[in-house]
Amino acid sequence: TIESSHPFTDVRSDWQQVPVAWMWEREITTGRSPTVFAPDDAVTRGELMTFVWRWQGKPPVETELITPEPTDCLVQTRTCADIFSAEAIAEIDALAAGRRVTAHVHDHRTDCTYELDPGLQITTASVIKAQILAGVLLDAQDRGGPVSATDNARIELMMHFSHNSPPTSTLYVAVGGASGMERLDARFGIAGTAHTGRYGATVTTAADRTRLVEQLLIGGGPLDAARVDEAWEWMSGVSTAQSWGLSAGLPDDHEYGLKNGFYPLSGRGWRLGTTGAVRTPGGGAYALTILTDGNVDEASGIVLVEAVARLVNEH
């Protein structure tokens, strides 16, 4: 029998006593301070790795560790989520009625990835403006200074109102046009996108857009934390009329940043898409992209995009 002995005065629940004592007696935890354990605080990845390292006897750094494969699971129940089940896909196909739709989700809380028609390539419309924003921010970071007031004014028009020419066209040229966007692809680890002189006709996959936007809004890519925060400010401040899309069905206590696309193209019909990230109350986040084309009008495209977004957000 393990005695519930430890120095932490804030561990009061009976069910916490034995586990906390077990960790303290084995020097797995030292608490937040000599007398504070903070049992209700979140555990960082660094703290968790330290616990595991101490638990395993402080093995030397050269010890070969086996990295498990990411698990596709829900945060609370730790069971597999079947977002795009056969039944869900059938419902989406019925609603789409011949239109093309693809989606990619990456949940950073669990490293779960969910895909709808993976690999399908669709033109971006204004969804690509998130990458133009990334290019402007990365250029300023590389130069070691802030984005100019002039470019900030252009970003405001591009992101808040989705104006095309001149603000977006000017920024597209500033980041290097199609060749500049290809260089950005390399820095953000994007491999399935084809850029042209017409930025709205960029051909891409939902996975590529999610890969870009999660580094832009969540982090883990070439942008530093200050630039990620700056990107979040821009993409969480789109106009009310353009805040549809991945926001559909989100609870009020969730935050989101997004960029939508909505424009017709000859031979493709109306292209409607949404890309961005969601912040959950517990400090987690997930990134999501939905792309469609072949819509007869903007309104019906929004309905299709939001039907997929609600399905994702419900899970």
Side-chain angles (χ1 to χ4, degrees), residues 13 22 31-32 49 72 81 93 95 108 122 139 146 161 163 186 193 208 225 233 241 269 307 310:
S13 299
W22 181 86
R32 297 289 191 194
M49 289 302 97
D72 188 14
D93 286 345
L95 178 62
H108 281 242
I122 289 185
D139 180 62
F161 299 106
H163 288 182
T193 295
D208 275 3
E233 288 297 317
R310 285 193 180 89

Side-chain angles (χ1 to χ4, degrees), residues 132 135-136 139 151 154 158 164-181 183-184 196-199:
I132 298 175
V136 175
D139 180 62
D151 280 349
R154 291 172 178 143
M158 178 177 71
N164 293 323
S165 184
T168 303
S169 299
T170 301
L171 292 174
Y172 187 63
V173 171
V175 300
S179 60
M181 296 289 269
R183 290 191 291 272
L184 286 172
T196 72
R198 297 174 61 193
Y199 54 83

Side-chain angles (χ1 to χ4, degrees), residues 221-290:
L223 292 169
D224 61 29
R227 307 294 173 172
V228 170
D229 288 343
E230 196 172 346
W232 184 270
E233 288 297 317
W234 286 119
M235 294 182 66
S236 63
V238 300
S239 69
T240 302
Q242 296 178 23
S243 61
W244 50 268
L246 66 79
S247 60
L250 276 181
D252 291 339
D253 58 356
H254 286 52
E255 299 176 332
Y256 64 89
L258 58 76
K259 183 68 193 82
N260 293 332
F262 44 98
Y263 206 77
L265 183 67
S266 178
R268 299 291 186 181
W270 273 85
R271 296 151 313 136
L272 277 294
T274 187
T275 189
V278 174
R279 291 178 177 175
T280 64
Y286 58 94
L288 164 65
T289 300
I290 304 165

Side-chain angles (χ1 to χ4, degrees), residues 108-120:
H108 281 242
R109 298 165 297 180
T110 59
D111 205 23
C112 299
T113 295
Y114 307 103
E115 296 181 292
L116 174 65
D117 202 349
L120 176 62

